Amino acid sequence: MTHGHPSGAVPVPGGPYPTPHGAPTDVAAQPEHAFPQQQTTEPAPEETPAAPKAPGRDRYLDLLRSIALVRVVMYHLFSWAWLTVVFPSMGVMFALAGSLMARSLKRPAWSVIRGRVRRLLPPMWAFGALTLTVLFATGWDPREDLGGFWGVAEIFNYLVPIGAPPYPEEAAAVAHLGTTWADDSVGPLWYLRAYLWFVLASPLLLWAFRRAPWPTLLAPLGLTAVVGTGLVTIPGETGNAVTDFAVYGSCWVLGFAHQEGMLKQVPRYVAVSGASLVMAFGLWWASGHLGDGGWDLNDIPLAQATWSFGFVVILLQYSPSWQELPGRLANWDKLVTLSNNRAVTIYLWHNMLIALAFPIVDLLYRIPFMQSERGTAALDSTYEIWVFALVWPLIGAMILLVGWVEDLGAKRRPRLWPNGAKGRRAEPAGRGRRR
């Protein structure tokens, strides 16, 4: 796609229900309340055993979301087209969000939608407040740039991302940032727009899926073949929104299929074989439609849709439903928990922080021993590695500064660093801490 897509985000695309690690959240797609564990009493010898405890977080899905976020950051920094093939992040994030949405829709639809929107908007307001303040302070006049009242009204998309938030193609440079910093920062917000539309459409999509699962699952792929290949062209941001909905719609509905148990009803060899054929078609189609980005599937909608669809089928078909990360993966438990708790914050701010990391790394050239020919050459050859290493502390700092806004949206007590680590202080006798 040509409107600032990452390879796939950050839901992007869970709720505060407990886990063995105290890892309570997902991106904006979070259930509205905790799922309490069943309370049972010790059965008498003649009674039947107590029912099993209600499940907590699926750590396999949490791990996939964390990998997707890291891959999005890597793609936006290095611009490696092959990353879109190795791991189609956005398809994965939409599928995970769709699965959680189907789980939550066991409750009244309006309350679920309201909860999702409430979790999404406050972090976006914080982002929009800073971005618009800087744009206005540097001389951007939306009346001239956007043309008239209706153009200025597009700023409303910074409050509720029904459409694409506006920004100047060439913004005034700020703090040694280039003139494209606004495009770098705001461009990826297409994901939040698509996520919001999927949330609003989910009650109807889930109703259709339960009555006609296969047509509902495959219809977005058919729509992509129409609007994503140039067969039918829809101009402007409306066309971009429809194309996004089509490209990732089947991944969202695959999340329904996973949550409803449909995927487990399909023999694994059938699912994997069919998915492999769909993925092979995606690569074949991409090979005949390579653009300036080469094998960047973001620029080839039908290839992105089919490759992401098959990839997600395989990931969810092999889903082991971990309650704890196994083996050496357990060493990453706190980071996985933190990234899931702050996925919206990471996605919103990561591209702006990447842009900020470049001028900071440039300061290394001022170090005396780096000014030699050998030092400069060494820094040139590892420049992007330094940026990649720096961007994560910057993301950590942003989590501390504004990440707690996600908690406010979820009506939770604000937390600075929610990585699931247990507090060191013991609970007072007879009193429990509210969660």
Side-chain angles (χ1 to χ4, degrees):
M1 299 183 192
T2 59
H3 53 292
H5 287 97
S7 162
V10 262
V12 157
Y17 40 101
T19 74
H21 309 278
T25 65
D26 175 20
V27 264
Q30 302 171 358
E32 197 167 12
H33 65 282
F35 288 84
Q37 303 233 340
Q38 265 185 313
Q39 300 296 320
T40 61
T41 58
E42 177 110 1
E46 67 274 14
E47 292 178 338
T48 56
K53 293 181 178 181
R57 296 288 302 184
D58 187 331
R59 301 299 280 168
Y60 173 73
L61 301 186
D62 287 346
L63 178 64
L64 291 182
R65 188 176 295 103
S66 297
I67 294 173
L69 286 169
V70 172
R71 215 284 286 133
V72 166
V73 174
M74 291 180 64
Y75 173 82
H76 280 147
L77 171 57
F78 297 107
S79 299
W80 292 334
W82 54 267
L83 285 173
T84 65
V85 177
V86 170
F87 196 88
S89 284
M90 302 317 291
V92 172
M93 291 173 70
F94 280 121
L96 301 181
S99 178
L100 286 169
M101 191 69 184
R103 174 176 177 169
S104 295
L105 281 173
K106 296 174 183 177
R107 296 182 281 117
W110 172 243
S111 68
V112 175
I113 292 174
R114 183 179 58 195
R116 292 297 189 278
V117 173
R118 190 180 64 235
R119 287 165 170 78
L120 175 67
L121 296 187
M124 185 165 182
W125 294 342
F127 176 87
L130 176 64
T131 303
L132 288 175
T133 298
V134 175
L135 284 174
F136 292 149
T138 54
W140 181 50
D141 187 347
R143 293 172 298 180
E144 296 181 1
D145 192 40
L146 302 177
F149 171 80
W150 291 111
V152 175
E154 293 181 16
I155 292 178
F156 177 77
N157 288 306
Y158 280 98
L159 299 177
V160 182
I162 299 297
Y167 56 88
E169 293 185 5
E170 294 288 330
V174 177
H176 303 288
L177 300 179
T179 57
T180 62
W181 69 268
D183 181 48
D184 294 335
S185 301
V186 182
L189 297 191
W190 71 269
Y191 168 74
L192 301 186
R193 176 194 64 198
Y195 173 82
L196 178 60
W197 280 111
F198 279 126
V199 166
L200 296 175
S202 281
L204 178 60
L205 285 175
L206 186 58
W207 176 87
F209 174 77
R210 288 170 173 169
R211 284 154 181 77
W214 287 106
T216 306
L217 181 62
L218 299 177
L221 293 179
L223 181 60
T224 305
V226 175
V227 301
T229 62
L231 188 63
V232 172
T233 301
I234 303 175
E237 279 302 319
T238 300
N240 291 334
V242 172
T243 301
D244 294 337
F245 195 91
V247 168
Y248 299 106
S250 287
C251 291
W252 187 274
V253 179
L254 273 175
F256 293 173
H258 173 260
Q259 183 62 40
E260 299 279 297
M262 173 183 166
L263 286 180
K264 295 299 183 183
Q265 297 175 6
V266 180
R268 179 169 292 178
Y269 74 93
V270 174
V272 173
S273 299
S276 299
L277 290 175
V278 173
M279 295 169 71
F281 169 81
L283 292 183
W284 171 79
W285 181 265
S287 68
H289 297 81
L290 300 179
D292 295 338
W295 283 88
D296 192 332
L297 300 186
N298 292 313
D299 300 330
I300 315 171
L302 185 58
Q304 177 74 287
T306 50
W307 179 261
S308 297
F309 177 84
F311 199 95
V312 168
V313 167
I314 295 174
L315 285 180
L316 295 183
Q317 181 65 233
Y318 281 91
S319 178
S321 297
W322 295 326
Q323 288 191 348
E324 297 183 5
L325 294 177
R328 293 183 179 179
L329 289 175
N331 296 329
W332 299 91
D333 183 83
K334 292 181 180 179
L335 288 178
V336 169
T337 299
L338 179 66
S339 63
N340 276 264
N341 281 327
R342 292 294 180 257
V344 175
T345 300
I346 294 171
Y347 188 86
L348 276 171
W349 296 94
H350 77 276
N351 227 29
M352 182 184 292
L353 298 176
I354 289 174
L356 181 62
F358 281 100
I360 295 176
V361 172
D362 285 344
L363 296 177
L364 295 178
Y365 286 102
R366 300 184 182 182
I367 300 176
F369 66 84
M370 285 293 184
Q371 295 177 2
S372 66
E373 182 176 348
R374 179 176 297 181
T376 300
L379 186 54
D380 287 343
S381 63
T382 58
Y383 185 86
E384 289 183 331
I385 302 298
W386 286 100
V387 175
F388 183 70
L390 176 62
V391 76
W392 296 107
L394 292 177
I395 288 174
M398 192 58 65
I399 287 173
L400 291 172
L401 288 173
V402 300
W404 50 269
V405 176
E406 292 194 49
D407 293 325
L408 295 183
K411 292 186 175 181
R412 289 192 301 266
R413 176 178 57 83
R415 300 163 296 169
L416 290 179
W417 197 254
N419 65 352
K422 296 180 180 179
R424 295 183 179 181
R425 292 190 304 172
E427 296 285 356
R431 298 173 59 188
R433 204 176 309 164
R434 296 182 64 183
R435 294 179 180 272

